[in-house]
Amino acid sequence: SLKAHAAQRGLISGAAVIVRSLGSDAALAELIVDQCGILVPEGELKWRALRPAQDKFDFSQADALFDFAAQHHLLVRGHTLAWHNSVPNWLIAAPASLDVRTLFVEHIRTVMGRYRGRVHSWDVVNEAILPKDAMPGGLRKSFWYERVGADYIDLAYRTAREADPIAKLTYNDYGVEY
């Protein structure tokens, strides 16, 4: 299996998954268990999935993914705590008076606290680079940049490290080599 070949080389093979698909497609679930050593939730840990409202979290799908992983002795990669494409509509429409910075920190602490010790690695920030936006440092002009501040990436990583001192903290992007 891919999982076995990767393990022989000290690597972990994995796949992005939608937990509902694992529950409804036995062949897919079997394939994932046979071939993967780590699961990456497609959307279950993103803001839109977790935060239906400012004062409410919905961990049902994320918990189902963690349960599947535990049942099959698979690692989990946390994906993602801050991504410009998964800001809930209620947050985008929130008044300027809302302290988004505090909400951002509380979100990271809550999510990472819930899964502390159960996550191999976290994509703390996802796709924050977009040089064509002409922002300082080549950063993307995003909701997080505008509402949390230019230091939102540093804040995310510092908060993540406090929330889970053991987890590997990563940055995820695509196409930045060009």
Side-chain angles (χ1 to χ4, degrees), residues 1 7 11 16 45 48 57-58 63 82 84 102 104 116 119 135 149 166 168:
S1 70
L11 303 172
L45 287 174
R48 282 191 187 151
F57 282 87
D58 178 359
D63 286 351
H84 68 281
T102 298
F104 184 73
R116 184 178 177 156
V119 176
M135 301 298 287
I166 297 171
K168 294 176 183 178

Side-chain angles (χ1 to χ4, degrees), residues 67 69 155:
D67 291 346
L155 179 62

Side-chain angles (χ1 to χ4, degrees), residues 17-170:
V17 297
I18 299 169
V19 73
R20 287 185 182 143
S21 297
L22 294 176
S24 64
D25 186 338
L28 174 65
E30 182 179 345
L31 181 67
I32 292 294
V33 170
D34 288 344
Q35 299 297 322
C36 296
I38 190 167
L39 300 181
V40 183
E42 182 64 38
E44 291 83 356
L45 287 174
K46 293 176 180 166
W47 275 74
R48 282 191 187 151
L50 292 177
R51 296 297 290 268
Q54 179 179 341
D55 59 348
K56 183 179 180 195
F57 282 87
D58 178 359
F59 290 107
S60 59
Q61 292 302 302
D63 286 351
L65 181 115
F66 276 88
D67 291 346
F68 180 90
Q71 179 183 359
H72 298 287
H73 310 289
L74 301 171
L75 299 172
V76 175
R77 181 177 188 93
H79 179 76
T80 179
L81 297 166
W83 184 39
H84 68 281
N85 254 350
S86 188
V87 181
N89 290 336
W90 65 262
L91 185 51
I92 292 169
S97 61
L98 178 66
D99 184 354
V100 175
R101 187 178 185 89
T102 298
L103 189 68
F104 184 73
V105 168
E106 289 172 353
H107 179 87
I108 293 171
R109 286 179 179 156
T110 299
V111 174
M112 289 189 70
R114 183 176 187 90
Y115 300 111
R116 184 178 177 156
R118 297 171 61 193
V119 176
H120 170 271
S121 51
W122 278 99
D123 290 332
V124 178
V125 177
N126 193 55
E127 300 172 6
I129 299 169
L130 190 61
K132 75 177 186 175
D133 279 357
M135 301 298 287
L139 295 178
R140 179 184 300 271
K141 184 177 182 181
S142 70
F143 175 86
W144 302 120
Y145 187 96
E146 293 178 335
R147 292 292 301 270
V148 174
D151 68 332
Y152 84 94
I153 297 171
D154 182 62
L155 179 62
Y157 280 94
R158 289 182 186 279
T159 304
R161 177 52 62 225
E162 291 170 8
D164 190 342
I166 297 171
K168 294 176 183 178
L169 304 181
T170 65

